[in-house]
């Protein structure tokens, strides 16, 4: 008696009532892309995770690259909304509280949505680099405004140095939050408080002379006017 082959779940059909929504499919794609990366993820694995079929995925989103773009676009929007809400909630608070809220927003999202965070900041796929860069710019815009306020309040130069400090903070906090998203045993709130203390200590310890020197430095080939 010949061995019966197992059915291919990726080509099996659901009943119409049980068909997944686009969000169900994107949730499955987010999980697989976050776990395996773009190169190792397959439409079959994603269909299995969604308890759906490969034809359904192709019908809804096209090929794997298109599905990846749709997944990242949704997650970019979710993180952007999360960060903007956090910044809006900080309006009118003391400056140091606003810095803390900005830092904690990233750690809170990394802890609450680790798959989403890993997908957005771990992936090496170039196709979405512009969209992720736009997200980082949105976050940096809010952070730089707070850095400028802090420097002005403490009588320190707040020109291009504020932009550089904002970029440093976004990079530092982003990498630290990524560590939290990969470390289930790390409390994201405690990690965020530590990062907040680190950032505030760095701002308080800034040497005004170094900020002034940066403002005085002219790019190569340009002379002071």
């Amino acid at each position: 008696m010949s061995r019966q082959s197992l059915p291919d779940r990726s080509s099996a059909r659901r009943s119409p009532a049980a068909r997944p929504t686009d969000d169900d499919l994107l949730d499955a794609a987010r999980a697989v892309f976050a776990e395996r990366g773009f190169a190792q993820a397959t439409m079959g694995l994603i269909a299995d995770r969604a308890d759906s079929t490969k034809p359904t995925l192709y019908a809804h989103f096209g090929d794997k690259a298109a599905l990846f773009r749709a997944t990242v676009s949704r997650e970019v929007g979710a993180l952007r909304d999360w960060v903007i809400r956090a910044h809006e909630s900080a309006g009118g608070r003391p400056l140091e509280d606003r810095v803390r809220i900005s830092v904690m927003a990233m750690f809170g999202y990394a802890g609450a949505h680790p798959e989403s965070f890993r997908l957005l900041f771990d992936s090496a796929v170039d196709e979405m680099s512009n969209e992720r860069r736009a997200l980082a710019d949105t976050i940096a815009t809010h952070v730089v405004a707070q850095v400028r306020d802090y420097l002005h309040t403490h009588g320190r130069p707040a020109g291009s140095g504020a932009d550089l400090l904002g970029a440093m903070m976004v990079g530092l906090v982003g990498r630290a939050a990524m560590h939290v998203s990969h470390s289930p045993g790390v409390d994201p709130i405690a990690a965020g408080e530590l990062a907040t203390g680190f950032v505030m200590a760095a701002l308080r310890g800034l040497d005004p002379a170094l900020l002034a020197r940066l403002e005085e430095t002219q790019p190569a080939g340009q002379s002071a006017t």
Side-chain angles (χ1 to χ4, degrees), residues 87-212:
H87 283 287
E88 289 175 346
S89 74
R93 293 173 180 260
L95 187 58
E96 293 195 10
D97 286 352
R98 282 184 275 148
V99 172
R100 178 183 178 278
I101 288 170
S102 296
V103 173
M104 293 300 294
M106 293 293 283
F107 282 89
Y109 194 86
H113 307 283
E115 290 178 346
S116 177
F117 203 86
R118 286 197 298 272
L119 174 69
L120 293 177
F121 294 100
D122 241 6
S123 176
V125 176
D126 291 335
E127 291 180 60
M128 295 307 302
S129 59
N130 290 337
E131 190 159 4
R132 284 196 294 263
R133 188 156 44 244
L135 171 63
D137 288 345
T138 296
I139 296 170
T141 296
H142 292 281
V143 172
V144 168
Q146 293 170 358
V147 172
R148 288 186 184 280
D149 283 349
Y150 185 90
L151 295 177
H152 280 305
T153 299
H154 292 80
R156 299 175 184 177
S160 59
D163 296 324
L164 180 58
L165 289 170
M168 290 176 181
M169 287 175 59
V170 171
L172 181 151
V173 171
R175 291 305 304 173
M178 174 63 69
H179 176 80
V180 169
S181 75
H182 281 282
S183 307
V186 176
D187 177 6
I189 302 304
E193 295 290 0
L194 177 61
T196 300
F198 187 91
V199 167
M200 290 309 306
L203 287 174
R204 293 189 193 105
L206 280 174
D207 184 347
L210 293 177
L211 286 169

Side-chain angles (χ1 to χ4, degrees), residues 35-118:
E35 289 171 5
R36 294 176 173 264
F38 179 82
Q40 298 301 317
T42 68
M43 296 295 267
L45 287 170
I46 294 168
D48 284 349
R49 183 65 63 95
D51 194 21
S52 185
T53 68
K54 287 196 291 185
T56 297
L57 285 177
Y58 287 117
H60 282 240
F61 297 104
D63 61 12
K64 185 173 77 168
L67 175 58
F68 182 80
R69 286 193 294 271
T71 306
V72 171
S73 293
R74 187 186 69 160
E75 301 310 311
V76 163
L79 177 53
R80 182 187 294 115
D81 290 347
W82 177 289
V83 170
I84 289 174
R85 283 196 301 270
H87 283 287
E88 289 175 346
S89 74
R93 293 173 180 260
L95 187 58
E96 293 195 10
D97 286 352
R98 282 184 275 148
V99 172
R100 178 183 178 278
I101 288 170
S102 296
V103 173
M104 293 300 294
M106 293 293 283
F107 282 89
Y109 194 86
H113 307 283
E115 290 178 346
S116 177
F117 203 86
R118 286 197 298 272

